[in-house]
Amino acid sequence: INESREQTILYLGRIHPEKGLRELVKAFAGLPKELSKRWRLDVRGPWKASEGGGGKGFLESLKGLAGSAKETIRFLEPVFDDGKLRKELRRASLFVYPSMAERGETFGLAALEAMSCGCPPMVSDLGCFRDFVQDGGTGFVFDHRGGGAVANLSAKMIEVLSKPERLSLIGNAAFAHAQNFTLNSVSKLFLDD
């Protein structure tokens, strides 16, 4: 599993306000310089309203929030090919999915897909992630409630990125845990039930 990975933090998903992207860009832009110059943030997904995104205005507002970190934040076009998505997840060192959608996320498939590629996820504290993302075990969790989401996400990113050697260990644990959710594993549970 431990292929050489880029020092890239990856968000893959709809570029929409409920996904916590304002908070992610602000948190990344606020990282200490010694971290922000070593790491890159890639935000990839559909931004057009017709594809479920928040529209051109929202995308431009995110670019504006990048501030002095704009050189290390890339906003990339969506990829819908499964093989290309897996390649992205195998390239990144950390997958961040900071969703703020208290009722909008039902299962958290994006984080599980990252785990199946050995990329440890960092997620908000939504209930949909609790079955497979354990903080410090199979991924990382930050508290997104109470108005402190940016500060909490930033603190968690600093903690994790300051010890990059932990990422491969957590990635290996995430990969192993994701095997419990393969089609064969889940279909057997249904049949047994």
Side-chain angles (χ1 to χ4, degrees), residues 2 7 35 38-39 93 120 140 157-170:
N2 193 12
Q7 286 196 293
L35 285 179
R38 291 201 321 257
W39 288 86
S93 290
F140 308 98
M157 288 171 77
I158 290 167
E159 174 193 328
V160 170
L161 300 178
S162 296
K163 298 178 187 145
E165 63 281 357
R166 278 184 70 206
L167 287 169
S168 63
L169 294 173
I170 302 286

Side-chain angles (χ1 to χ4, degrees), residues 125-172:
D125 191 27
L126 291 174
C128 63
F129 300 119
R130 290 194 189 122
D131 284 339
F132 43 91
V133 182
Q134 289 88 37
D135 190 40
T138 58
F140 308 98
V141 180
F142 74 96
D143 182 7
H144 66 286
R145 297 180 182 94
V150 173
N152 294 341
L153 177 54
S154 185
K156 184 62 79 169
M157 288 171 77
I158 290 167
E159 174 193 328
V160 170
L161 300 178
S162 296
K163 298 178 187 145
E165 63 281 357
R166 278 184 70 206
L167 287 169
S168 63
L169 294 173
I170 302 286
N172 289 340

Side-chain angles (χ1 to χ4, degrees), residues 36 42 61 79 130 175 177 180 187:
S36 62
D42 283 352
S61 74
V79 171
R130 290 194 189 122
F175 175 80
H177 191 62
N180 296 319
S187 59

Side-chain angles (χ1 to χ4, degrees), residues 74-114:
R74 297 191 308 181
F75 294 92
L76 305 168
E77 287 299 312
V79 171
F80 299 105
D81 176 75
D82 192 50
K84 289 179 181 169
L85 290 170
R86 296 183 79 69
K87 189 174 177 184
E88 287 283 286
L89 291 166
R90 289 187 180 112
R91 175 181 65 81
S93 290
L94 180 65
F95 178 77
V96 180
Y97 201 78
S99 179
M100 302 287 148
E102 290 290 343
R103 290 185 173 80
E105 302 290 344
T106 54
F107 180 68
L109 184 61
L112 192 57
E113 287 173 335

Side-chain angles (χ1 to χ4, degrees), residues 7-114:
Q7 286 196 293
T8 298
I9 300 159
L10 177 64
Y11 168 86
L12 271 179
R14 291 185 305 122
I15 300 187
H16 190 279
E18 73 179 8
K19 296 300 184 179
L21 291 168
R22 283 190 189 101
E23 291 78 4
L24 175 57
V25 170
K26 285 182 186 176
F28 184 83
L31 289 177
K33 289 286 176 256
E34 68 270 13
L35 285 179
S36 62
K37 69 183 179 194
R38 291 201 321 257
W39 288 86
R40 184 178 71 221
L41 172 62
D42 283 352
V43 176
R44 183 183 288 281
W47 55 267
K48 294 177 183 169
S50 62
E51 296 174 334
K56 182 83 170 161
F58 180 63
L59 178 64
E60 293 305 319
S61 74
L62 291 177
K63 290 177 180 177
L65 288 175
S68 62
K70 67 179 177 284
E71 300 299 317
T72 52
I73 301 177
R74 297 191 308 181
F75 294 92
L76 305 168
E77 287 299 312
V79 171
F80 299 105
D81 176 75
D82 192 50
K84 289 179 181 169
L85 290 170
R86 296 183 79 69
K87 189 174 177 184
E88 287 283 286
L89 291 166
R90 289 187 180 112
R91 175 181 65 81
S93 290
L94 180 65
F95 178 77
V96 180
Y97 201 78
S99 179
M100 302 287 148
E102 290 290 343
R103 290 185 173 80
E105 302 290 344
T106 54
F107 180 68
L109 184 61
L112 192 57
E113 287 173 335

